[in-house]
Amino acid sequence: MKLLVIGSGGREHALAWRLKQSPRVQKVYVAPGNGGTAREEGLENLPLTAFPELIEFCQRDGVAFTLVGPEAPLAEGIVDAFRGAGLKVFGPTRAAAQLESSKDFAKQFMTRHGIPTAAFATFTDAAAAHAYLDARGGAIVVKADGLAAGKGVVVAQTKDEAHAAIDMMLAGNAFGEAGARVVIEECLQGEEASFIVMADGEHILSLATSQDHKRLLDGDQGPNTGGMGAYSPAPVVTPELHARILREVIRPVVAGMKEEGVPYTGFLYAGVMIGEDGVPRVLEFNCRMGDPETQPIMMRLKNDFATLVEAAIDGRLDQVEAEWDRRYALGVVLAAAGYPDSPRKGDAIAGLGEGDANVHVFHAGTALDGDQVVTAGGRVLCVTALGDTVKMAQTRAYEAADRIDFAGRQMRRDIGWRAVQRKGSGRKKP
Ligand code: AMP
Ligand code: GLY
């Protein structure tokens, strides 16, 4: 069968690469794809983004199902459009994607269903937001309500910073419609983990746990980014915590959405902060897989991924299981000069040789200029490796990453540090 993956990032390269490994899959189209998906055997880029064109292509070419990578087309209703045309597609509807596309929707939903999260208030009026801030002490987080490509969150260290964030979003209109409402919430302390599942409206299949590194620089310093590296599993998610997150967060979301008449289908990503008190609180929901979390997670998935997605589309997730490589996988992001503010494009990338079976270089912001692969976006590559320990995966990923070069390359040197530090701390959950 032929499949389609929507998107152009490292996440989509990893999803398409994994789908292609199914013996039943002949070809995976990636729309629009990147320089890596253009070169990967069995993958083919499709220069289409408009829903009607994509739908027409799937109908004409007999695409068996479509997997949607990024949040933007989901929030625009790509799943509704594909289903309306009688096509099989995995992802949430536009209404269900509000768990990500409106922070206020997500917070209100969590309140209704008793899901643990930071205390919050929502504002459209700047004066009211400023007054609320003045009445509160301590560190605070200001978030644009809508999608802002990962830039809509300000974790303010001081009240002045928080006031400035309100002005930028509400008065300054920095994010347009997306910032016309802001959510102000209590700043949570602890360690973050990414908890991602597949949902079919009713049943849940947990994927392996992972941890991202959002800051640009070593030691979690510098500006927030889309993610500079990730690894799986995340030992902070012990078996007890895993069960607790399923019980207190994931199941109530899927049951609650169903109950409210908006059944949740697709990947569901809960970003959780695990506090000193051991309580997992939701920072955010994403209605898709994480990037770069997907890259290490897909390296570890042992099942036929196409079969899992088909089961999800058909509402049979209770009848399948996911099997994970027992090893760690760790991915290091190589970002372009100027990322995250103004990434430079067009730098030639050298050293993209053949990897070994334990290493895969997933492309994100790359394009082909003739035969030459060049940078074409902020996060350029994610070099991902497997290893028996997190340290071994880390060493292997950095050895491979160090062979790749382009002008202005930015890369953190410490991806996986929390897990390396925690080494020997015992049991982990896939
Ligand atoms: P979000 O888009 O809501 O995930 O926010 C992006 C990042 O901001 C998260 O991954 C956290 O690192 C941080 N963040 C968001 N909300 C909070 C919060 N309430 N307390 C502390 N950090 C937060
Ligand atoms: N890596 C974080 C995200 O995908 O939102």
Side-chain angles (χ1 to χ4, degrees):
M1 59 184 170
K2 290 182 272 185
L3 309 179
L4 169 63
V5 171
I6 306 281
S8 63
R11 166 184 50 213
E12 287 76 25
H13 187 179
L15 291 170
W17 166 81
R18 200 73 194 76
L19 284 170
K20 177 60 190 76
Q21 285 163 27
S22 164
R24 294 183 301 128
V25 174
Q26 208 182 318
K27 183 187 282 189
V28 182
Y29 295 105
V30 189
N34 58 41
T37 53
R39 299 201 322 170
E40 187 86 57
E41 207 180 316
L43 271 47
E44 184 178 325
N45 285 354
L46 215 55
L48 304 176
T49 47
F51 299 172
E53 285 170 20
L54 288 164
I55 287 171
E56 197 201 320
F57 178 86
C58 290
Q59 287 170 334
R60 204 176 52 228
D61 205 70
V63 167
F65 68 78
T66 297
L67 190 63
V68 187
E71 63 277 16
L74 293 165
E76 284 164 27
I78 193 169
V79 167
D80 312 64
F82 271 58
R83 283 190 192 156
L87 291 168
K88 288 196 173 199
V89 58
F90 187 55
T93 58
R94 180 192 177 116
Q98 284 181 94
L99 278 178
E100 176 170 2
S101 66
S102 168
K103 306 250 184 223
D104 180 55
F105 176 91
K107 297 294 283 192
Q108 306 278 3
F109 176 86
M110 286 190 269
T111 306
R112 283 198 295 282
H113 295 278
I115 296 167
T117 188
F120 78 104
T122 303
F123 298 92
T124 49
D125 177 57
H130 287 301
Y132 174 81
L133 197 61
D134 280 330
R136 291 190 63 102
I140 212 125
V141 182
V142 182
K143 301 181 173 184
D145 177 57
L147 295 181
K151 294 189 179 137
V153 175
V154 175
V155 181
Q157 307 300 333
T158 63
K159 271 199 178 178
D160 285 349
E161 249 181 85
H163 282 299
I166 291 170
D167 284 336
M168 165 188 74
M169 292 179 198
L170 282 180
N173 214 15
F175 302 114
E177 232 354 74
R181 261 197 305 191
V182 298
V183 170
I184 301 184
E185 63 181 46
E186 145 202 30
C187 187
L188 299 174
Q189 307 298 330
E191 184 170 346
E192 284 186 59
S194 306
F195 199 98
I196 309 175
V197 304
M198 293 169 81
D200 65 10
E202 184 160 358
H203 316 105
I204 291 154
L205 180 71
S206 302
L207 300 181
T209 60
S210 58
Q211 192 173 56
D212 186 14
H213 299 63
K214 297 239 160 133
R215 303 297 193 102
L216 181 69
L217 305 173
D218 286 13
D220 295 329
Q221 302 296 310
N224 256 323
T225 70
M228 293 299 290
Y231 63 93
S232 169
V236 63
V237 184
T238 59
E240 291 75 20
L241 254 176
H242 194 275
R244 186 163 179 183
I245 295 169
L246 271 177
R247 191 174 64 239
E248 295 180 9
V249 177
I250 303 293
R251 288 207 189 99
V253 172
V254 174
M257 293 293 276
K258 186 175 174 215
E259 195 184 299
E260 295 189 8
V262 195
Y264 192 93
T265 56
F267 295 105
L268 175 65
Y269 167 144
V272 291
M273 183 74 92
I274 297 146
E276 291 278 300
D277 56 1
V279 178
R281 293 184 180 83
V282 176
L283 290 168
E284 61 166 343
F285 289 119
N286 293 319
C287 62
R288 50 169 176 83
M289 285 207 65
D291 189 340
E293 291 94 324
T294 302
Q295 292 84 317
I297 291 175
M298 285 295 127
M299 286 286 277
R300 293 186 58 225
L301 180 65
K302 284 170 63 174
N303 306 62
D304 183 322
F305 185 39
T307 302
L308 294 186
V309 178
E310 279 181 313
I313 292 172
D314 296 342
R316 293 184 283 105
L317 273 182
D318 56 331
Q319 293 165 32
V320 292
E321 274 182 56
E323 278 179 62
W324 303 100
D325 195 315
R326 296 184 65 80
R327 291 174 293 174
Y328 277 86
L330 184 141
V332 176
V333 168
L334 276 56
Y339 179 72
D341 290 337
S342 47
R344 189 171 72 202
K345 295 182 180 174
D347 289 308
I349 304 173
L352 287 172
E354 297 292 305
D356 63 66
N358 293 315
V359 180
H360 204 87
V361 180
F362 295 110
H363 288 229
T366 69
L368 294 184
D369 182 4
D371 283 340
Q372 175 66 52
V373 183
V374 299
T375 63
R379 292 186 292 173
V380 176
L381 302 164
C382 182
V383 181
T384 312
L386 287 162
D388 287 332
T389 63
V390 69
K391 185 76 203 160
M392 285 163 78
Q394 188 189 51
T395 304
R396 201 174 260 152
Y398 278 110
E399 274 170 11
D402 279 329
R403 287 195 287 271
I404 300 171
D405 199 23
F406 49 89
R409 182 190 79 166
Q410 302 191 75
M411 169 172 95
R412 275 180 65 159
R413 277 276 157 204
D414 64 346
I415 300 303
W417 69 270
R418 286 178 191 273
V420 171
Q421 234 170 42
R422 197 183 278 268
K423 148 175 102 64
S425 67
R427 295 171 307 151
K428 63 185 195 206
K429 185 78 192 172

